[in-house]
Amino acid sequence: MCRNNVPVKLLFLMVSVVICVHSCAQASEVKAKKSWQARRELSDAATRRRREFIYYEEKVPDYTLPDPLIMTEGAKVTNAEMWRKKRRPEILELFRKYVYGRAPVGRPKGMTFKVFDLDRNALNGQATRKQITVNFTGKEDRPSMDILIYLPGAAKKPAPIFVLLNFGGNHTIHPDPAIRLSTRWMRSGRKATEETRGSSSASYPVEKILARGYGLATIYYGDIDPDYHDDFKNGVHPVFDKLVEGKRAPDAWGSICAWAWGLSRAMDYFESDEEIDESRVVILGHSRLGKTALWAGARDERFAIVISNNSGCGGAALSRRRFGETVKQINTSFPHWFCDNFKKYNDEEDRLPVDQHMLIALMAPRPVYVASADEDLWADPRGEFLSCRNAEPVYDLLGLKGLEVEKMPALNNPIQKGRIGYHIRTGGHGLTEYDWLRYMDFADRHFKGNKLAR
Ligand code: GTR
């Protein structure tokens, strides 16, 4: 006990000073973490390169988004059952019909899996490596894809995995000499060579993923459908297409839908592999393959978490904003990505029966994560954020936490409060280690007790 109260007062004063200094510091930190805005000099530079596109927020036209919770005929969606049974299928069908197209088959009857490589001592004992050929029809001369899988070596129980398509062949994701070198079509126009082994490894931090207890599965997207317009003569299209009077239907699947369909076939394999936990498969994709991951996650609810990395137009970004890449531009540069009906919305975004926030909403109740990059104005970071914001009412209706923030966060300030995650990081268009670490944090958060926390 203090006999005189001078030291008590002094102590009180000191504590008050400390609290004050602390909260002032916090306040200035909050101030320093300003909500993201496109940097003027980047907008100026982008405009100089491509004058016809919008790179300034003030030039974004006024628009009204379709309400994910109002049926096309006008009825309000008032409960979870109505969402599940009526509105979700309706939105999915609108995306099939007007945006990505319709896959003519699900799991083909004759499909086979052949494990052609199994090494339990891969990457210096850190991993089990498997390579599997998925032959879509079971006929030798028909298209097939190779899945490369690394599982954490120490895993005693089925491992959760991340699955993503890659741009350059499985052999580009890691220098491991045992990965089969792709002999297929390459974007470069040349056949793959030994020199390209591991050339994209910066985007696939395999060892770090394994160390966090996750496996990684990847497939070369060109195995499923080479990424150029040849009127759908190669890849899986001609094998499964159902022509009407010799013609493809206006809602026949484009390449994005074919790639997404291939990911579902990979999921069929995961279900058959006892070392993989098929209830904890996270699907991820970058750029055009981010658009693909979103469509794959929407059409196939077996994917537990869906992640879009810099997916932009036709992915997470709102089309109606016309910021950066537009519907017309994407349909012109890549006429094979979407279905033919999507071309009707060139310069007519406001007539689209959907916008991309509704694609995000199709993931509900599952967790979904969208990531943007500061310099990636072509992909419209704010439009990607706003898709998340506008998908939130569906999570609310289901009684789940969504994004839980109103404004775009500051750079490098990931939002992972609820089932919709978002970040915008420093730098340009790309899949980086920073992104991966955030995605693993997000997955950790939602995979509690070995299953998706409900
Ligand atoms: C760009 C395209 C984007 C994005 C990107 C990519 O040329 O305009 O929509 O998908 O390619 O996939 O790398």
Side-chain angles (χ1 to χ4, degrees):
M1 266 258 232
C2 269
R3 246 176 284 143
N4 89 44
N5 61 3
V6 174
V8 177
K9 279 186 181 157
L10 200 66
L11 191 69
F12 181 73
L13 195 71
M14 279 165 64
V15 169
S16 315
V17 169
V18 169
I19 291 174
C20 177
V21 168
H22 183 71
S23 48
C24 289
Q26 269 188 336
S28 62
E29 206 181 309
V30 169
K31 224 171 154 195
K33 288 183 179 171
K34 275 214 350 234
S35 173
W36 179 86
Q37 280 187 14
R39 278 183 283 140
R40 202 80 195 167
E41 69 270 24
L42 290 180
S43 300
D44 292 347
T47 306
R48 276 196 299 277
R49 278 196 304 274
R50 303 174 113 158
R51 295 223 162 262
E52 67 276 35
F53 297 101
I54 297 176
Y55 288 107
Y56 300 100
E57 206 45 45
E58 57 273 23
K59 292 210 170 148
V60 171
D62 288 340
Y63 60 87
T64 309
L65 293 177
D67 188 331
L69 293 177
I70 296 187
M71 301 285 301
T72 305
E73 295 301 323
K76 180 116 189 74
V77 180
T78 49
N79 58 53
E81 198 195 352
M82 192 171 170
W83 165 258
R84 180 90 220 137
K85 297 215 171 119
K86 299 213 161 109
R87 183 57 170 156
R88 188 182 187 279
E90 182 178 65
I91 296 177
L92 192 61
E93 176 58 16
L94 291 171
F95 275 107
R96 263 192 220 113
K97 192 157 181 191
Y98 297 108
V99 185
Y100 303 102
R102 195 180 301 281
V105 281
R107 179 185 178 141
K109 279 206 195 75
M111 184 168 76
T112 56
F113 306 129
K114 188 171 161 205
V115 182
F116 66 86
D117 172 46
L118 173 64
D119 181 355
R120 300 214 169 272
N121 217 5
L123 308 183
N124 301 318
Q126 203 196 342
T128 289
R129 187 194 57 244
K130 299 183 182 189
Q131 297 184 75
I132 300 101
T133 297
V134 178
N135 190 305
F136 297 120
T137 60
K139 295 186 187 128
E140 283 308 316
D141 59 337
R142 289 301 174 91
S144 63
M145 65 179 186
D146 285 353
I147 314 178
L148 165 66
I149 302 175
Y150 287 108
L151 297 176
K156 296 252 171 348
K157 37 186 191 200
I161 61 166
F162 281 81
V163 59
L164 75 171
L165 298 177
N166 66 71
F167 288 92
N170 293 348
H171 62 278
T172 59
I173 74 123
H174 195 282
D176 183 348
I179 303 174
R180 182 189 266 180
L181 190 76
S182 177
T183 55
R184 301 273 169 86
W185 164 90
M186 289 285 143
R187 272 167 94 186
S188 63
R190 294 183 297 273
K191 288 273 173 216
T193 59
E194 280 295 329
E195 286 73 68
T196 57
R197 227 174 243 295
S199 54
S200 313
S201 54
S203 293
Y204 303 86
V206 177
E207 284 78 0
K208 297 213 162 95
I209 296 167
L210 294 168
R212 294 272 297 254
Y214 291 97
L216 175 78
T218 188
I219 302 144
Y220 174 45
Y221 81 140
D223 281 2
I224 306 163
D225 188 28
D227 188 7
Y228 61 93
H229 189 40
D230 70 337
D231 235 348
F232 305 99
K233 298 280 187 303
N234 59 19
V236 294
H237 289 107
V239 179
F240 298 107
D241 265 355
K242 294 191 173 78
L243 303 181
V244 184
E245 291 168 9
K247 285 203 192 112
R248 301 184 88 238
D251 63 352
W253 53 344
S255 292
I256 290 177
C257 184
W259 298 324
W261 175 88
L263 282 158
S264 288
R265 307 294 63 86
M267 187 71 201
D268 297 338
Y269 169 76
F270 303 149
E271 287 182 328
S272 76
D273 186 326
E274 288 181 352
E275 292 175 297
I276 294 174
D277 180 350
E278 72 268 19
S279 72
R280 290 185 294 160
V281 177
V282 185
I283 186 167
L284 157 68
H286 166 63
S287 203
R288 67 197 68 184
L289 299 178
K291 310 180 208 297
T292 303
L294 289 173
W295 183 231
R299 59 190 293 286
D300 190 338
E301 293 183 273
R302 292 175 296 173
F303 295 109
I305 299 181
V306 184
I307 304 177
S308 143
N309 192 83
N310 308 175
S311 63
C313 179
L318 292 175
S319 304
R320 279 169 173 73
R321 281 171 49 84
R322 304 143 170 99
F323 188 107
E325 188 169 30
T326 59
V327 169
K328 181 178 178 189
Q329 183 56 36
I330 206 163
N331 279 328
T332 308
S333 318
F334 308 102
H336 57 297
W337 282 1
F338 300 88
C339 73
D340 264 359
N341 276 338
F342 195 44
K343 299 187 174 83
K344 293 186 191 149
Y345 301 97
N346 290 350
D347 288 331
E348 297 277 350
E349 289 86 347
D350 293 312
R351 287 186 40 244
L352 265 166
V354 288
D355 210 323
Q356 300 305 109
H357 62 304
M358 292 155 85
L359 181 64
I360 304 295
L362 289 179
M363 309 312 162
R366 296 163 298 160
V368 54
Y369 199 111
V370 170
S372 313
D374 181 37
E375 294 164 21
D376 190 16
L377 298 187
W378 187 238
D380 186 15
R382 186 173 301 278
E384 298 191 308
F385 172 79
L386 288 173
S387 269
C388 296
R389 271 291 283 144
N390 287 287
E392 206 166 20
V394 174
Y395 284 80
D396 287 347
L397 180 79
L398 303 181
L400 298 164
K401 279 191 173 173
L403 188 65
E404 309 292 303
V405 294
E406 280 172 21
K407 280 205 196 125
M408 251 190 113
L411 270 184
N412 308 323
N413 244 306
I415 306 298
Q416 302 198 354
K417 294 172 195 263
R419 291 196 171 214
I420 309 177
Y422 178 83
H423 74 242
I424 175 158
R425 62 154 170 79
T426 317
H429 192 68
L431 175 60
T432 68
E433 190 175 309
Y434 176 92
D435 300 313
W436 272 104
L437 296 176
R438 304 294 83 73
Y439 301 152
M440 288 191 279
D441 292 346
F442 191 66
D444 286 354
R445 204 169 286 235
H446 291 287
F447 289 151
K448 298 231 175 72
N450 289 340
K451 57 178 196 291
L452 193 65
R454 291 280 170 201

